[in-house]
Amino acid sequence: MASIAIIVTGGIVRVTGSGLGCTDWPMCTGETLAPTAEMGVHGVIEFGNRLLTGALCAVVGWVIVTARLQEKPMPAVLRGGWAQFWIVVLNAVVGGVTVWMRLSPYIVAAHFLAATLLLTAAVYTWHAAYADAGADAGAGADAVAGADGPSGGGGGALPGVAAPLAPGLAARIRSLSAALVTVTALLVVVGTLATGSGPHAGDSSDVARMPFDWTAVTVVHGVLAGAVLVLAGALFSLLPRDGLGAARRKAAVFLAVLLGQGVVGLVQSLTALPSLVVMLHLLGSALVWTGVLQVHLTVRRALFGRSGPPAGAPLPPALSAATHA
């Protein structure tokens, strides 16, 4: 949630022309840490975005500490937490370079991609915590089955564990899932080129833009979105309800989010990029990237036979912390 929030607030900075609301970094001005009254609302907006980085560091610290305090070691969650910490540091530095370079569109694009990398690490951490919780639940079920013994009537597949798939079907699902993530990543990158070529440079003064034809880049962006839609539909059609039901449900949600994002993108292109619609499209891009990672990681976990915790079970502390991150 915090990783999505930092993307959205960065977009608010851009569409309100507050990118140089603070004229220096890490100080807001050459003499003050915070904006002065003369800097107006733009300084407040930019400084507020910087403060959110500090809040994000606190959330990531909570993830790391919580993972370390678990009775059962959670190395994957710990790695994910530390990855988020260093990506937050990276993103802060790139944000500073953005100010120093007076909002170069290439550095602005790198700033957004660094925020997207942070979102990637956050989703990975959440899934790592979920997988560990599922492993504990599966171990508990194994123990109960073992206690029942052969005569206990406990034979058969464990609830929530993926049923075996035909090797050919499993391979096709894996390939489609990987292709979906790859094309969606390309969609996000081309989206930064469309942004860098269009208006909303991030400041009310003249700022250089990327030397690309905005219409051509937008058409390429739309074609990639169509390819993502086709791949997501194909993956959804292959996912069986039995054993891969969670992945199928997430694929359905992803399709809905993708269609909504497409509508918002079309509206903004046909209405001269109004700020509010641009903000909705930026939020949608974060949700689309989160969704495709959710689908991919859930497919991988299901194909490896990992199960989630029982429905209605309380979240373990590390998973709760990862959710906030």
Side-chain angles (χ1 to χ4, degrees):
M1 291 186 292
S3 301
I4 293 176
I6 199 73
I7 292 176
V8 173
T9 57
I12 293 174
V13 170
R14 182 167 62 86
V15 300
T16 58
S18 304
L20 295 177
C22 286
T23 57
D24 203 354
W25 185 89
M27 306 285 280
C28 192
T29 69
E31 295 80 25
T32 63
L33 177 64
T36 61
E38 292 77 12
M39 303 174 77
V41 66
H42 294 307
V44 173
I45 292 174
E46 165 62 10
F47 188 68
N49 185 55
R50 294 185 181 189
L51 288 179
L52 186 58
T53 301
L56 188 56
C57 284
V59 173
V60 172
W62 177 28
V63 173
I64 294 171
V65 171
T66 304
R68 289 296 298 268
L69 293 178
Q70 300 301 299
E71 293 182 5
K72 178 181 178 292
M74 305 182 78
V77 176
L78 196 58
R79 286 194 299 270
W82 277 113
Q84 289 180 78
F85 174 79
W86 289 114
I87 295 171
V88 169
V89 173
L90 169 67
N91 204 24
V93 172
V94 174
V97 174
T98 302
V99 174
W100 291 342
M101 298 296 292
R102 318 317 287 173
L103 304 182
S104 162
Y106 301 101
I107 307 300
V108 170
H111 195 28
F112 173 78
L113 293 176
T116 305
L117 183 61
L118 174 63
L119 182 58
T120 304
V123 175
Y124 165 81
T125 305
W126 189 90
H127 268 266
Y130 199 103
D132 281 340
D136 289 342
D142 283 336
V144 171
D148 287 343
S151 61
L158 292 173
V161 177
L165 295 177
L169 177 59
R172 288 197 299 273
I173 289 174
R174 278 194 297 268
S175 298
L176 266 177
S177 180
L180 180 61
V181 173
T182 301
V183 179
T184 305
L186 186 58
L187 174 68
V188 172
V189 172
V190 174
T192 66
L193 302 183
T195 298
S197 304
H200 301 300
D203 188 66
S204 54
S205 60
D206 291 334
V207 175
R209 311 305 292 141
M210 292 181 180
F212 304 121
D213 182 84
W214 180 83
T215 301
V217 175
T218 301
V219 169
V220 174
H221 188 58
V223 170
L224 287 171
V228 171
L229 183 62
V230 170
L231 287 170
L235 179 61
F236 176 78
S237 67
L238 282 181
L239 291 171
R241 289 184 174 85
D242 182 22
L244 284 165
R248 183 181 172 86
R249 288 190 297 272
K250 290 183 179 181
V253 173
F254 174 68
L255 280 167
V257 171
L258 185 63
L259 287 170
Q261 173 75 335
V263 170
V264 173
L266 185 61
V267 169
Q268 75 167 1
S269 299
L270 297 177
T271 55
L273 303 173
S275 297
L276 179 59
V277 183
V278 170
M279 281 303 310
L280 289 176
H281 196 56
L282 186 61
L283 172 62
S285 70
L287 295 178
V288 164
W289 185 242
T290 301
V292 76
L293 291 176
Q294 289 274 5
V295 171
H296 180 65
L297 293 173
T298 303
V299 165
R300 282 179 55 85
R301 188 177 68 241
L303 291 180
F304 280 109
R306 302 299 296 270
S307 65
L315 295 178
L319 180 53
S320 178
T323 301
H324 284 81

